[in-house]
Amino acid sequence: MTQTALLVIVHGSPREESNDDVRRVLDHIREGGKYDQVQAAFLDCNEPDIPTAVRQCVEAGARRIVCVPYFLHSGRHVALDIPQILQQCASTFPHVEIFLSPLIGSSAVISQILRYRARQAVGFSG
Amino acid sequence: MLLISHGSVLCGADRILEEHAARLGSSVYPIVEIGFLNYSAPSFEAAVARCHEHGATQIVIVPYFLVAGKFVTADLPIRIGAARKQFPELQFTVADALLDAPELATAVLEMADRAVLLPQAIRAARVPGSECQLRPDCPLFNSMACPRSSAR
C-alpha cells in the first residue's frame, strides 16, 4: 500500500515555547492515525528544512506527501517560497507525489478557536 | 470582539481575517471588528474607535497570531495602554493567541483533505484575484505568484 506522509510546513520561531506548541499539535494529529507519517518542516529558525523533511519522508517509505502550510496569512512564504521549494523537491523525487493544501488560516475551524479564546478571556459562555 | 492581526503589504492579505470576523458575529458579540498592528487598514486604533462608535462598552481583543511573540507580548500591550487612556470608559480584555489549541490539529487535517497535486496547487494559487491592486511594494509584484503577473 502506498505510504502517505503529512508534512506540516511551519515558519519556525526563535522561541522554543512556540515550537513546542506546534509539536503538541502534531502529536494530536499522530494520535488520529490517519497518516503513516506526520512531520514538521521549518522555513526558518529550526530544522529540518523542507528539502530535508521531504527526503526523510521518502527515506521512511512515503510515496505520497501531503504538505499543509501552517500559516494564518497568505504572504510571500505561502504564495512564493513554499511552492518553489516543493517544486525543487518534486524534481529531486519524481517518483513521489507531492500535494499542497491551502493554508490553515482559511479553515473555519480557526474561527471557532478565536471564539473559544474570547470566551476564555472574559470567562462566560459565548 | 476585536480580531487583531499583524497586517501585510500584500494585496488582499486582510481578506482571511474579514472571513473569520464574518463568521464570529453573534448575540454575545454583536460587534466584531478587525484591526492591524502594521501596514493594513484599519489600524488597531481605528478599529477600537469603530467599536466605541458602535456602542461597545467592553472589548475582547483576540490576537490572530499562532504564537505569543513580540507583537502579542510587547507591541499589543503598548497600543492597548494608549487606547485605555483615550477611552477610559471602555473595558479591555486580551485573549490568548492560538498557541497549541487542539482544534489546530483539526484545521490541519481539514486543509490536508483539500490538498491537490503540486502543479495544480500552484496554478490555483495564481487564479486572478480582484483584490490585487498591482502595488509595487507588494512582495508578489512582478513575480509568477502575482495574480495579475504578465508572466502568467
Side-chain angles (χ1 to χ4, degrees), chain B residues 37-114:
Chain B
L37 294 178
N38 295 297
Y39 309 119
S40 309
S43 67
F44 170 77
E45 288 74 15
V48 171
R50 205 179 280 191
C51 293
H52 183 253
E53 280 163 26
H54 290 161
T57 53
Q58 182 183 19
I59 300 183
V60 186
I61 295 169
V62 185
Y64 185 66
F65 285 82
L66 282 166
V67 303
K70 174 183 156 299
F71 294 110
V72 174
T73 59
D75 297 358
L76 183 59
I78 293 171
R79 308 277 283 266
I80 294 170
R84 279 189 214 273
K85 278 186 191 151
Q86 197 189 344
F87 300 104
E89 68 277 26
L90 277 181
Q91 190 190 334
F92 291 90
T93 312
V94 187
D96 282 337
L98 301 183
L99 306 177
D100 62 347
E103 297 84 359
L104 283 165
T106 314
V108 170
L109 289 169
E110 185 200 333
M111 288 304 111
D113 284 344
R114 289 170 50 184

Side-chain angles (χ1 to χ4, degrees), chain A residues 15 18 24 34-35 70 72-75 80 86 98-101 103 105 107 109-111 115 117 121-122 124, chain B residues 5 10 13 20 23-24 28 60 64 66-68 93 95 97-98 100 103-104 110-113 115-118 145:
Chain A
R15 295 170 71 259
S18 303
R24 277 191 285 274
K34 183 169 176 184
Y35 291 89
Y70 197 76
L72 292 183
H73 286 288
S74 180
L80 276 183
L86 288 177
I98 297 184
F99 292 77
L100 176 60
S101 85
L103 65 166
S107 168
V109 175
I110 300 291
S111 309
R115 182 184 289 122
R117 287 293 186 231
V122 293
F124 60 71
Chain B
S5 173
L10 204 72
H20 290 302
R23 291 187 198 106
L24 287 168
V28 180
V60 186
Y64 185 66
L66 282 166
V67 303
T93 312
L98 301 183
D100 62 347
E103 297 84 359
L104 283 165
E110 185 200 333
M111 288 304 111
D113 284 344
V116 293
L117 270 170
L118 192 56

Side-chain angles (χ1 to χ4, degrees), chain A residues 71-93:
Chain A
F71 285 74
L72 292 183
H73 286 288
S74 180
R76 184 205 305 258
H77 290 317
V78 173
L80 276 183
D81 300 344
I82 293 174
Q84 263 169 16
I85 297 168
L86 288 177
Q87 249 175 343
Q88 286 162 13
C89 295
S91 52
T92 310
F93 301 105

